[in-house]
Amino acid sequence: VDDQTGVRYLLDAIIKEEGHCSHLAANGAEAVEKVKQISPELIFMDLRMPIMDGKQAIEAINEMDCSPEMVVMTAFTEKDIIDSIRRKGVFKYLNKPFDVEDVRTIVREAALKKRLETESL
């Protein structure tokens, strides 16, 4: 979820290269609607976006009956916002611009975590 087309394209390519399905959204409102439709396992969420920002989208998604891992991405380092978001169960935090290998690592960690949770049921 990012308002920058290039960031969405890059994340889409990385996630598909890792063997997973990807769905894109340009703002928090689109993300909330997509989550209602597909219940994703992992979400990369920008913080600053038009219409609905990432913090508002995270709060809305947390109220739903799903529990995706969420990765917050931002070029801004507002410590108070980041701290409040971490308390909302965010899986990881990425500074923009981010390293492609960091994204790959996060995708792999989230997939492993989900597999381990499924196996323990």
Side-chain angles (χ1 to χ4, degrees), residues 15-67:
I15 291 166
K16 287 178 178 172
E17 286 174 2
E18 288 297 314
H20 303 281
C21 183
S22 176
H23 301 271
L24 308 176
N27 60 62
E30 285 183 25
V32 170
E33 287 306 310
K34 292 232 183 211
V35 169
K36 288 177 185 175
Q37 296 168 9
I38 62 172
S39 297
E41 294 179 0
L42 176 65
I43 299 173
F44 285 86
M45 179 79 70
D46 188 20
L47 281 184
R48 291 202 176 180
M49 297 177 288
I51 303 172
M52 178 187 277
D53 68 26
K55 184 177 180 201
Q56 294 167 317
I58 289 168
E59 290 169 352
I61 291 166
N62 280 340
E63 292 176 8
M64 294 181 197
D65 190 27
C66 64
S67 55

Side-chain angles (χ1 to χ4, degrees), residues 6-109:
V7 173
R8 289 193 312 268
Y9 175 80
L10 178 61
L11 289 170
D12 183 51
I14 295 167
I15 291 166
K16 287 178 178 172
E17 286 174 2
E18 288 297 314
H20 303 281
C21 183
S22 176
H23 301 271
L24 308 176
N27 60 62
E30 285 183 25
V32 170
E33 287 306 310
K34 292 232 183 211
V35 169
K36 288 177 185 175
Q37 296 168 9
I38 62 172
S39 297
E41 294 179 0
L42 176 65
I43 299 173
F44 285 86
M45 179 79 70
D46 188 20
L47 281 184
R48 291 202 176 180
M49 297 177 288
I51 303 172
M52 178 187 277
D53 68 26
K55 184 177 180 201
Q56 294 167 317
I58 289 168
E59 290 169 352
I61 291 166
N62 280 340
E63 292 176 8
M64 294 181 197
D65 190 27
C66 64
S67 55
E69 300 294 344
M70 288 194 256
V71 179
V72 170
M73 310 177 298
T74 188
F76 305 95
T77 54
E78 299 112 347
K79 185 172 175 9
D80 57 328
I81 293 174
I82 293 165
D83 288 344
S84 72
I85 288 171
R86 281 195 174 138
R87 286 189 295 270
K88 296 188 183 310
V90 171
F91 181 60
K92 296 282 181 175
Y93 173 81
L94 274 176
N95 283 319
K96 286 172 149 183
F98 50 79
D99 185 278
V100 170
E101 288 307 313
D102 290 341
V103 174
R104 290 183 198 285
T105 299
I106 289 170
V107 170
R108 291 172 186 158
E109 286 175 359

